[in-house]
Amino acid sequence: MRVEILDGATIVNFMEDEEAFNVQICDRFAHLDSDHDGRLSYGEMLKELQCLRVFETHFGVDVKTDPDELVRVYDSLFVQFDHDLNGTVDLEEFKSETKLMMLAMANGMGFLPVQMVLEEDSFLKKAAEWESAKLAA
């Protein structure tokens, strides 16, 4: 984990750079697609869903959550990605839903800088790195 400063504009600008965003989406999808069949099963998506950290934390420490509630939340999130409800998530579904989630995050953050602790491989960290590289250029 690493502390970064970002705002909604950082996320929006990263997604508007189609090439950079698509590279990150394709890389993440390929990493998750452990059987290389071009589709993500629930099992393959579970690690990614857990990284979304949808549950409250206190200074980075997870709060104990009911296991049944966790299953319901992750099932619901998987269905959100699985647009055609065929039990798997293809690259387009993954890209589309990731983009919607990131836009919702950007809208929720607004345009005032926020200091955040980010997971190493998270899309938010990739957005912050992309912005840093643009500013350095």
Side-chain angles (χ1 to χ4, degrees):
M1 286 195 243
R2 193 165 127 190
V3 176
E4 296 281 351
I5 296 175
L6 67 154
D7 61 14
T10 302
I11 299 167
V12 170
N13 292 337
F14 174 64
M15 289 187 310
E16 286 177 349
D17 183 337
E18 288 283 327
E19 183 179 347
F21 184 70
N22 285 337
V23 165
Q24 292 305 317
I25 288 289
C26 290
D27 285 353
R28 191 69 181 163
F29 187 89
H31 172 75
L32 294 171
D33 187 14
S34 59
D35 63 5
H36 310 291
D37 67 353
R39 298 181 310 262
L40 300 178
S41 66
Y42 179 82
E44 290 170 320
M45 277 285 296
L46 186 57
K47 182 179 176 189
E48 187 73 4
L49 297 175
Q50 290 168 334
C51 286
L52 293 175
R53 307 192 57 80
V54 294
F55 291 100
E56 183 179 356
T57 63
H58 294 284
F59 303 106
V61 177
D62 292 330
V63 175
K64 181 120 173 92
T65 306
D66 176 33
D68 292 335
E69 182 181 3
L70 282 173
V71 169
R72 285 190 301 276
V73 169
Y74 292 137
D75 285 351
S76 173
L77 284 169
F78 183 78
V79 169
Q80 194 169 336
F81 275 85
D82 184 13
H83 297 170
D84 60 10
L85 301 176
N86 68 352
T88 61
V89 175
D90 64 32
L91 179 59
E92 285 307 310
E93 290 171 321
F94 184 73
K95 178 182 174 182
S96 172
E97 197 58 38
T98 300
K99 195 171 220 175
L100 287 174
M101 292 178 116
M102 288 185 71
L103 281 173
M105 214 175 294
N107 288 335
M109 288 176 71
F111 293 95
L112 293 175
V114 176
Q115 187 173 2
M116 297 179 74
V117 177
L118 303 177
E119 302 279 338
E120 276 307 310
D121 291 331
S122 74
F123 284 108
L124 291 179
K125 184 166 183 308
K126 299 297 182 188
E129 289 171 346
W130 174 87
E131 182 177 62
S132 292
K134 287 285 187 188
L135 292 173

